Amino acid sequence: MGRGMESVYEVTEFESNKKYGFKSKSSLIESYTLYTLERVKYGTRISALVQIEPGDTGTSSELAMEKTIKKQYRENLALLKEILETGPAGKLIDDVSIVPGRSA
């Protein structure tokens, strides 16, 4: 914890504008993540399911790891929300599509 970690992920599920799932392929921490998207009255609801197997991380504090991972997900989802809601030059985007293989 407190250091960067690079991982390779495999996309396991994809349905345009509905869901996106992936699992870690090379990491000390095995994980599976599934994002589901649901159109609601004034936007899109994003739900995240995350399953993590810590493996041998060299830390004895699972609570500290859990807090760090939750903080990282909150920050990442807040950034994703900002990106999805704001287009070029800060303009609101009416419809957002997820396109595999593209990055922001």
Side-chain angles (χ1 to χ4, degrees):
M1 309 318 328
R3 61 183 184 257
M5 186 169 58
E6 190 171 314
S7 297
V8 174
Y9 293 91
E10 174 185 353
V11 174
T12 57
E13 299 182 53
F14 179 81
E15 190 175 339
S16 185
N17 297 318
K18 297 208 184 248
K19 64 181 170 179
Y20 171 63
F22 56 93
K23 66 180 179 177
S24 63
K25 294 294 285 182
S26 63
S27 176
L28 293 175
I29 300 172
E30 293 182 25
S31 67
Y32 168 74
T33 304
L34 176 65
Y35 291 108
T36 55
L37 297 90
E38 176 187 358
R39 188 175 294 265
V40 293
K41 188 172 183 177
Y42 295 107
T44 302
R45 175 179 294 126
I46 299 176
S47 300
L49 167 73
V50 180
Q51 296 174 326
I52 298 174
E53 293 293 329
D56 183 19
T57 60
T59 180
S60 61
S61 176
E62 289 184 21
L63 182 58
M65 181 186 299
E66 179 181 344
K67 288 175 71 174
T68 301
I69 291 169
K70 284 181 177 182
K71 179 180 182 277
Q72 182 177 358
Y73 268 93
R74 278 193 305 273
E75 291 171 357
N76 289 346
L77 288 171
L79 178 59
L80 176 61
K81 181 180 189 300
E82 181 180 333
I83 291 168
L84 292 175
E85 291 179 346
T86 309
K91 294 182 181 174
L92 189 65
I93 297 175
D94 292 328
D95 189 23
V96 175
S97 297
I98 296 175
V99 180
R102 295 192 58 194
S103 61

